[in-house]
Amino acid sequence: MPQNAVVLIVEDEPLIRFTTLDALEEVGHRVLEAGNADEAMVLFRNRTDIDIVFTDVNMAGSMDGIQLAQRIRAIRPTVGIIITSGVVNLDPMLLPANTVFLPKPYRHDRLLSSIHEMMP
């Protein structure tokens, strides 16, 4: 049985955030949530148990999801990062190394398999 992860969801659309949270909790993952990258950084700095950050790219606030991913990678290089966006031609060179990109709309089973692949 795969290990359950602590996942931080960073998504500004409440409906998407809540349905994703439900899908992850349903299979046993522990989930934290943030409505933007600034909230996510506060949570991330105060918690050492976050295994994976799942972030949207386009959000209000001082930084977008790619900038958030870069900051997280700089602080804690071992954290898994999954980035999602409705922008279909997102330049892969913008993504930090060792990240997974899931285009929107994504299926929860694809997200779950990405999380599973990132766990030790």
Side-chain angles (χ1 to χ4, degrees), residues 17-39:
R17 190 170 67 243
F18 298 145
T19 57
T20 303
L21 183 144
D22 286 345
L24 296 181
E25 285 185 338
E26 195 172 286
V27 297
H29 294 299
R30 288 177 289 151
V31 184
L32 306 168
E33 58 179 300
N36 61 48
D38 300 309
E39 288 177 22

Side-chain angles (χ1 to χ4, degrees), residues 80-115:
I81 298 174
I82 304 170
I83 296 175
T84 189
S85 177
V87 177
V88 277
N89 36 355
L90 184 67
D91 183 353
M93 297 303 290
L94 294 175
L95 302 176
N98 302 316
T99 60
V100 171
F101 177 71
L102 286 181
K104 279 184 177 180
Y106 54 86
R107 293 185 7 221
H108 288 143
D109 61 341
R110 178 70 181 100
L111 173 59
L112 291 169
S113 67
S114 295
I115 291 170

